[in-house]
Amino acid sequence: MSSRKLLEVINLETHFTTEAGVVKAVDNVSFSLDRGETIGIVGESGSGKSVTSLSAMRLIPDPPGKIVGGQILFHDKELGKAVDLVQLEESEMRRYRGNEISMIFQEPMTSLNPVFTCGNQVTEAITLHQNVTKEKARELTLELFAKVQLPDPPRVFSAYPHQLSGGQKQRVMIAMAMSCNPSILIADEPTTALDVTVQKTILELMRNLREEMDASVIFITHDLGVIAEVADRVIVMYKGKIVEQGNVYDIFSNPQHPYTKGLLACRPPLDYRMSKLPVVSDFMNVTFNPDGSRLIEEKKASMKEVIESVKIKPEQQKARHDRLYAQEPILTVSNLKTWFPSKKNFFGKVLDYVKAVNDVSFEVYPGETMGLVGESGCGKTTLGRTILRLVEAEGGKVVFEGKSVLELNQKDLKTLRRDMQIIFQDPYSSLNPRMTIGNAIMEPMQVHKVLANDAARKEKVIELLETVSLEASHFDRYPHEFSGGQRQRICVARALALEPKFIICDESVSALDVSVQAQVLNLLIELREKFNFTYIFISHDLSVVKFMSDRMIVMNKGVIEEMGDADEIYLNAKKEYTRKLINAIPKGRVEDIASRMTNITPK
């Protein structure tokens, strides 16, 4: 085994100096990576997983960050010895960065330069690290684009990043990372914001490239379901420390640490229904010793006991549906069309349209959650925005509580906005960075003249903050002072400020850690039960939609492929497209891991 060892991280410590003091982002971390092996590093945001990988690449910005201790030993085949990357001068480190250790970042749009073509960016990486001509670099780039299964490599070579889909941009990043045949490929959350179908193809692609090039992979993610699909071994990180590591089968079949149990349990299940998702706090308490060190206490309940306590019996679900569907619909959508001009002639006459929503009809009942699922570009977000008149329809009807939404004038539409709200995907871009979160929540109340004065409104805002598990003291803080999960809670509080009857959640948990996602989903369900909200819940993740929804709509290319009871669609999907979405979900089943592990041939 030792002859196969490629990387050893020994007692690594990376600290950041902040106004609040020193943050131990990586705290005495040790692990090793063998040739041809894939290690999964998993944990929530702030666990230290990305900082660990950036430390290995020597990409920690100094200041405020610094590697203050430990070794990162790279076993250099050419030199026939182990080299400590921590001790290398920057000029020496360039020999290893890119050539031997390469990285795929989470967000390709921020990693690719928008003013250069994709082909130019990859050829630049090749000419920088290899002694080849521009013509040869172009030839190698086209070969790489074919290898990562990009459609029409010459077209992609000449395309700019904004002209490609998210999955295609990520493939360009993989091609760039593989361009110098590195020994180690670090993939930092490479599939987080992608559709499940695109995610599946990216994971398969990375598996194939690993075997073909005999590369080792460090795969970083917050999703243990993804880890189950790709990793040989798993490292679980929490607050800068490794709390558990081992064979992927052992971690999934018999997790030892309460944090690992929490991460495994909080993924939405597919084969049964829950009233709420288990969260990490169900498995562990975190207290502090007198010296300030963190003490983790395991709760007594087992994973099985926690899950059994929140399972919903089929007869309970049936009783809920009998009650829901005995009512009149709160929303009726009939033959709705939203088209965007795609081609015009010289005189500006529209010759062709993108039919984003094309003849869509359905009803939603008071207190129901209607799930809306499909791949990027299927029309689900456009449908949600058309219902709210944030996008104007080409034709059809939207009737909310007897009012024809598409025919309302601006004054009546403003009144209707009190009852119909939306929670967007990215909480950071939907909050004004210069406005305190208290004022951001209060603003719609001021616009609609809710309550008598700002003193009464502030009291209401504090009540809303506490409703979404934030604190009154947060009123005067700004969005950048909160985590992603907290920002999403702020957006939920703002949507609740006008006491709406109907809320559209547009990919509102897509970018969150699975543990934080579980907390936000539980909050949305709790609020639905408390205030009898009606939701349209939009997501590309069918497992999340199935957990949240009573009924589900599957959209594809602007039309409804399938609609019906969420559990029934999952168990007996009628359309091939729906079955493809279901098959692409990372299941994380122990039996699947066992089957995959036995198929791996030792190198």
Side-chain angles (χ1 to χ4, degrees):
M1 183 70 86
S2 60
S3 63
R4 298 288 298 170
K5 209 165 283 301
L6 182 59
L7 189 76
E8 289 179 273
V9 175
I10 304 167
N11 303 328
L12 180 66
E13 298 207 15
T14 304
H15 295 178
F16 286 81
T17 305
T18 69
E19 289 178 5
V22 173
V23 175
K24 296 181 178 180
V26 177
D27 191 4
N28 199 28
V29 161
S30 299
F31 65 91
S32 63
L33 176 69
D34 290 341
R35 294 182 192 277
E37 181 183 37
T38 297
I39 283 182
I41 303 181
V42 71
E44 298 168 286
S45 295
S47 64
K49 56 189 190 298
S50 291
V51 178
T52 300
S53 65
L54 289 169
S55 299
M57 293 281 288
R58 289 274 306 276
L59 290 175
I60 299 295
D62 181 10
K66 192 171 187 180
I67 298 173
V68 297
Q71 296 175 291
I72 302 170
L73 301 179
F74 179 79
H75 290 259
D76 192 320
K77 224 173 186 177
E78 201 176 302
L79 295 178
K81 65 175 184 178
V83 177
D84 186 358
L85 302 181
V86 175
Q87 301 301 325
L88 294 182
E89 295 292 332
E90 178 58 28
S91 56
E92 297 173 295
M93 186 61 204
R94 289 196 196 107
R95 175 172 174 247
Y96 294 95
R97 192 188 296 129
N99 286 325
E100 295 288 358
I101 308 175
S102 201
M103 195 162 185
I104 306 164
F105 293 97
Q106 177 175 354
E107 179 44 70
M109 200 61 204
T110 57
S111 306
L112 292 169
N113 192 323
V115 300
F116 291 104
T117 66
C118 295
N120 281 341
Q121 295 184 61
V122 179
T123 53
E124 184 186 30
I126 292 171
T127 53
L128 194 65
H129 291 279
Q130 298 179 46
N131 187 23
V132 296
T133 63
K134 281 190 175 180
E135 290 72 22
K136 181 63 178 174
R138 177 188 167 85
E139 189 183 312
L140 290 170
T141 300
L142 290 170
E143 283 176 19
L144 280 165
F145 283 176
K147 193 175 281 185
V148 298
Q149 297 164 25
L150 276 163
D152 193 359
R155 182 189 69 81
V156 174
F157 189 97
S158 304
Y160 291 89
H162 73 271
Q163 295 175 303
L164 303 181
S165 69
Q168 288 173 336
K169 283 196 283 275
Q170 198 58 280
R171 286 165 192 265
V172 171
M173 285 298 300
I174 292 171
M176 192 184 296
M178 303 301 291
S179 62
C180 297
N181 297 322
S183 305
I184 300 172
L185 184 62
I186 299 173
D188 187 5
E189 302 266 16
T191 62
T192 295
L194 302 179
D195 297 336
V196 284
T197 48
V198 179
Q199 173 178 272
K200 185 181 182 183
T201 58
I202 295 290
L203 295 179
E204 285 172 354
L205 170 65
M206 291 190 67
R207 272 199 301 268
N208 294 338
L209 289 172
R210 181 193 79 166
E211 289 166 15
E212 187 181 323
M213 305 176 79
D214 194 23
S216 301
V217 178
I218 297 176
F219 197 101
I220 297 166
T221 182
H222 61 258
D223 189 346
L224 273 161
V226 171
I227 289 289
E229 302 274 317
V230 296
D232 303 312
R233 285 191 298 124
V234 185
I235 293 167
V236 182
M237 291 190 71
Y238 175 70
K239 302 292 183 187
K241 290 182 178 288
I242 293 176
V243 295
E244 187 166 1
Q245 62 177 308
N247 176 291
V248 65
Y249 179 81
D250 294 337
I251 295 287
F252 273 76
S253 60
N254 188 24
Q256 298 301 305
H257 196 276
Y259 181 68
T260 312
K261 293 174 186 176
L263 287 183
L264 282 166
C266 67
R267 290 162 47 244
L270 288 163
D271 45 357
Y272 51 88
R273 190 166 275 277
M274 287 177 160
S275 58
K276 69 180 197 106
L277 289 170
V279 293
V280 171
S281 60
D282 290 327
F283 296 90
M284 64 188 234
N285 283 318
V286 179
T287 55
F288 291 89
N289 293 319
D291 64 356
S293 61
R294 191 179 283 105
L295 176 69
I296 294 169
E297 299 170 6
E298 184 166 4
K299 292 192 175 178
K300 295 262 169 77
S302 67
M303 271 182 74
K304 187 176 179 182
E305 287 169 331
V306 171
I307 289 168
E308 286 297 327
S309 71
V310 291
K311 271 190 180 179
I312 293 177
K313 294 181 174 68
E315 56 268 28
Q316 291 174 304
Q317 187 69 1
K318 183 181 182 303
R320 171 178 163 78
H321 284 181
D322 288 346
R323 178 176 55 79
L324 283 177
Y325 304 130
Q327 309 171 93
E328 289 296 312
I330 190 172
L331 178 78
T332 303
V333 176
S334 308
N335 309 111
L336 190 64
K337 296 174 184 173
T338 309
W339 297 357
F340 299 107
S342 64
K343 194 176 176 184
K344 295 181 179 179
N345 66 12
F346 180 76
F347 300 103
K349 183 183 177 184
V350 177
L351 301 176
D352 203 1
Y353 292 90
V354 172
K355 296 179 179 178
V357 177
N358 196 21
D359 202 24
V360 165
S361 301
F362 62 93
E363 295 172 332
V364 185
Y365 293 82
E368 180 184 26
T369 298
M370 173 67 88
L372 194 51
V373 71
E375 296 171 289
S376 294
C378 72
K380 56 189 188 295
T381 292
T382 303
L383 173 58
R385 294 184 180 207
T386 306
I387 290 168
L388 294 177
R389 285 272 301 273
L390 297 175
V391 174
E392 292 297 336
E394 183 75 17
K397 278 189 170 184
V398 176
V399 177
F400 179 79
E401 290 194 319
K403 301 184 189 79
S404 181
V405 176
L406 304 186
E407 295 173 5
L408 294 178
N409 59 36
Q410 285 302 313
K411 184 184 174 186
D412 292 337
L413 187 61
K414 181 181 171 183
T415 305
L416 188 71
R417 294 255 188 260
R418 282 194 62 168
D419 291 329
M420 302 175 82
Q421 287 289 303
I422 186 167
I423 303 168
F424 293 102
Q425 176 174 358
D426 181 4
Y428 198 68
S429 63
S430 55
L431 290 169
N432 187 333
R434 296 181 180 181
M435 188 182 279
T436 65
I437 62 118
N439 286 328
I441 296 168
M442 196 193 294
E443 187 181 38
M445 298 166 73
Q446 292 167 328
V447 170
H448 289 274
K449 297 183 171 57
V450 175
L451 301 178
N453 53 49
D454 279 353
R457 291 177 192 125
K458 182 173 181 178
E459 205 173 296
K460 178 67 175 174
V461 170
I462 289 169
E463 183 189 317
L464 286 167
L465 287 172
E466 289 170 348
T467 300
V468 298
S469 303
L470 293 171
E471 296 170 15
S473 60
H474 291 155
F475 186 97
D476 293 315
R477 292 191 190 175
Y478 290 88
H480 73 271
E481 298 179 76
F482 296 89
S483 69
Q486 287 174 319
R487 283 198 288 265
Q488 199 56 281
R489 287 166 185 272
I490 292 161
C491 289
V492 171
R494 187 174 60 180
L496 299 181
L498 299 177
E499 299 179 354
K501 298 173 183 175
F502 173 81
I503 299 175
I504 293 178
C505 304
D506 185 7
E507 299 273 15
S508 50
V509 297
S510 297
L512 302 179
D513 295 340
V514 283
S515 53
V516 179
Q517 173 182 279
Q519 293 168 24
V520 174
L521 294 177
N522 288 344
L523 171 66
L524 291 171
I525 286 177
E526 186 185 315
L527 294 170
R528 183 186 69 187
E529 300 310 306
K530 186 177 178 181
F531 300 108
N532 197 38
F533 287 140
T534 305
Y535 292 131
I536 287 183
F537 191 90
I538 300 170
S539 179
H540 62 259
D541 187 339
L542 199 141
S543 60
V544 171
V545 170
K546 180 185 172 294
F547 166 72
M548 283 294 294
S549 307
D550 297 292
R551 290 185 300 145
M552 186 192 298
I553 292 171
V554 181
M555 280 191 75
N556 182 24
K557 296 178 181 174
V559 299
I560 293 176
E561 283 273 341
E562 199 160 347
M563 177 167 57
D565 180 86
D567 293 335
E568 181 60 26
I569 284 180
Y570 175 72
L571 292 170
N572 300 299
K574 294 180 175 65
K575 296 292 187 75
E576 181 57 37
Y577 178 76
T578 311
R579 288 193 287 272
K580 184 180 82 166
L581 287 181
I582 292 167
N583 292 335
I585 302 168
K587 312 283 192 302
R589 291 185 298 225
V590 173
E591 55 271 27
D592 294 341
I593 296 169
S595 169
R596 178 173 69 82
M597 296 298 282
T598 54
N599 291 334
I600 294 174
T601 50
K603 291 186 182 290

